[in-house]
Amino acid sequence: MASIASPRYGIGITLLLAAVAAAVGGFVLFQSGSAKGVDLTSANLVPEDAGAYFALNTDLGSSQWVAAFNLIDKLGQEDPKDELTRSVEDIGDLDWEDDVAPMLGGNAAIYFTSFSIGNLDVQGALILKCKDSEKALKALQRQLPVDLSKAQHGGVEYCRGEDGRAFVARLGDHLVLAANEESLYDVMDVHAGKAKSLADVEGFGKLRDELTNNFLAFLYK
């Protein structure tokens, strides 16, 4: 996202997972198909008018990732899961157990309602289903290059970067990092039941449920 592009954001793990998936040939972008293997809980927080939604399977113990790691192993990479861990730790001096593992709770997604590179105008957010959302938030706070102050929207607390470049909320098991405050409010309103989610859209649900369960990534637009 244009307004939060610092390489110190710990959630960059999602991009690395995508790269690994692509490398093993298991990375498939679905416009229709099934997410039965992984529950796309992030879609329940995405506004219904999202123009694009891209989700990743972040359960490294799932059958899809086990198959991917086995394939990499057969191709000559010894212990690919351990190699992934070491590679991630080399990015920004991250610690896998403290900074990354708490964020990997099953699925991670990025969505956009609008996107303009020329104007650096991005409306959207990154949503992580966390294994431990409280620990994940603390890890993110350590990695962000700005100090966060507390604020509220609709009676729900969130964090705002002092320079206006980071907007973060912990919503149950999910951690949300938004491109701007307006986008964060959109997700918070969906979570509060004040607005419909992408999961409520009939077309999205139909395409999701038609997929096979052998996927590492999911694209809806």
Side-chain angles (χ1 to χ4, degrees):
M1 297 181 188
S3 61
I4 51 174
S6 168
R8 295 284 296 170
Y9 286 84
I11 50 176
I13 176 59
T14 57
L15 300 178
L16 183 57
L17 292 178
V20 172
V24 301
F27 187 94
V28 182
L29 300 180
F30 290 110
Q31 291 185 356
S32 63
S34 105
K36 294 180 180 178
V38 174
D39 186 7
L40 293 178
T41 58
S42 53
N44 296 318
L45 299 180
V46 174
E48 66 174 334
D49 62 346
Y53 167 84
F54 174 63
L56 284 168
N57 174 350
T58 63
D59 180 2
L60 300 188
S62 67
S63 60
Q64 294 83 12
W65 276 106
V66 170
F69 288 135
N70 286 340
L71 176 58
I72 298 175
D73 184 70
K74 292 180 180 179
L75 293 175
Q77 173 63 63
E78 184 177 351
D79 200 347
K81 186 174 181 179
D82 184 60
E83 179 63 28
L84 172 63
T85 301
R86 290 197 302 270
S87 297
V88 170
E89 291 183 333
D90 288 339
I91 301 175
D93 297 322
L94 297 175
D95 180 88
W96 180 273
E97 291 302 323
D98 289 338
D99 299 323
V100 179
M103 299 183 184
L104 306 182
N107 71 113
I110 187 171
Y111 81 87
F112 300 103
T113 53
S114 65
F115 188 95
S116 175
I117 297 179
N119 298 327
L120 296 181
D121 181 19
V122 178
Q123 298 293 321
L126 177 60
I127 302 174
L128 300 169
K129 170 66 182 302
C130 300
K131 182 182 298 184
D132 185 331
S133 61
E134 183 176 3
K135 191 173 181 180
L137 177 57
K138 291 178 180 178
L140 182 60
Q141 290 173 327
R142 289 195 300 271
Q143 292 299 317
L144 287 173
V146 296
D147 292 329
L148 298 177
S149 61
K150 293 182 180 179
Q152 286 195 353
H153 172 69
V156 178
E157 187 176 279
Y158 69 95
C159 299
R160 178 172 51 199
E162 60 181 7
D163 61 353
R165 291 193 302 124
F167 302 92
V168 185
R170 183 167 70 95
L171 304 176
D173 293 334
H174 294 82
L175 197 62
V176 182
L177 177 60
N180 48 59
E181 210 158 20
E182 181 183 355
S183 295
L184 184 63
Y185 289 171
D186 288 342
V187 175
M188 295 176 76
D189 288 345
V190 171
H191 180 258
K194 298 177 181 178
K196 290 186 176 180
S197 72
L198 182 63
D200 296 322
V201 177
E202 182 178 357
F204 175 84
K206 182 178 180 180
L207 294 179
R208 175 195 61 198
D209 294 340
E210 286 177 356
L211 277 169
T212 68
N213 59 6
N214 295 316
F215 82 99
L216 293 177
F218 179 101
L219 175 66
Y220 176 85
K221 61 179 182 178

